[in-house]
Amino acid sequence: MTCHSDTGKIKSLFIKKVQQALLNDAHIEQHWKELNFLSKPLLDEAVAEYAGFEAVLKNLGADIFYFPEDGTVNMDSVYCRDAAVATDGGMILCNMGKEARKQEPLAQQKVFEANGIKILGSISAPGTLEGGDVAWLNEHTLAAGHGYRTNAEGIRQLTALLKPLNVEVITVPLPHYKGPLDVFHLMSILSPVDTNLAVVYSPLMPVVFRELLIQRGYELVEVPDEEFDSMGCNVLALAPRDCLMVDGNPKTKAALEKAGCKVTVYKGEEISVKGGGGPTCLTRPMYRVQ
């Protein structure tokens, strides 16, 4: 088992139930605009959607750990991948590029330590790093997106922490796209689903990085323009070619199935689309079986 994978069969992971992040209607009303949600999440519908999402994870037979309600963090904390990076040497605590999420790494640290999980290190200012900007290409190669959420200094610190683990970090320059307030990560345009298969949105992908994936033997499943905003590119590998994605992306789903993948969908209008966080964002996988 290893933490250095985004495609092996998930054996353990952390999640945060939507009830513990959205809290109540008054809290949602107060914060959804300032957090740049696309529109106000509907709590009852969000709870129902999350129950369906969680049921898929429970069917995996993996060990599921839960981040609790924490008054120091806000609604974005449901997207628990972003605050930490799992490695075989322990957790790397991020330093969030989104100011409203700055307290999330510390909140997660408390939970990791309470569960006896080692902390390898942390990213400190002026460095920024968010977990949605990193993706394992293989056990010894981590891609890191350089954009508005993750900066060069954050990637430098990440590289230094991973060097003793014999991990190479590849920097991927990200586009301006909708600007610094938008939730745009490397995993907005890349989701590895097997060691040689990845879901991509090529129009926003750097040519050099796209060519590197092809040179390394990756087959690319292309997300059509009309399914990018509906999170067609945000696909969680439950196991190699066993995929979980937001419902409403039929062309990407069909392309994955053509590539030999099993695809499960969940309703995610409230818990994913409105907050810009698909199934990869909603989970913090720990160990996977390669």
Side-chain angles (χ1 to χ4, degrees), residues 9-130:
K9 180 176 174 59
I10 297 175
K11 297 302 292 182
S12 62
L13 75 162
F14 277 85
I15 58 175
K16 183 169 185 177
K17 290 191 176 187
V18 72
Q19 300 96 308
Q20 273 67 59
L22 271 57
L23 301 184
N24 52 58
D25 286 322
H27 186 84
I28 295 170
E29 182 63 44
Q30 181 180 354
H31 294 288
W32 74 267
K33 289 182 181 178
E34 69 187 52
L35 294 174
N36 300 308
F37 277 62
L38 294 180
S39 59
K40 180 185 174 181
L42 304 176
L43 184 58
D44 289 345
E45 286 84 344
V47 170
E49 287 182 357
Y50 199 88
F53 173 78
E54 186 180 3
V56 176
L57 300 177
K58 287 182 175 179
N59 285 339
L60 276 177
D63 295 325
I64 301 179
F65 301 89
Y66 294 89
F67 291 115
E69 181 179 325
D70 188 316
T72 69
V73 299
N74 212 320
M75 290 162 51
D76 279 331
S77 63
V78 73
Y79 305 123
C80 57
R81 179 188 177 97
D82 290 333
V85 178
T87 82
D88 290 347
M91 303 303 296
I92 296 175
L93 302 172
C94 296
N95 186 29
M96 311 299 279
K98 184 175 181 178
E99 189 63 32
R101 303 188 69 180
K102 286 293 188 182
Q103 299 304 313
E104 290 182 35
L106 179 59
Q108 288 196 1
Q109 180 182 3
K110 296 174 184 176
V111 179
F112 294 143
E113 291 177 341
N115 283 275
I117 297 171
K118 179 182 175 182
I119 305 299
L120 176 63
S122 59
I123 306 301
S124 58
T128 60
L129 178 76
E130 294 194 2

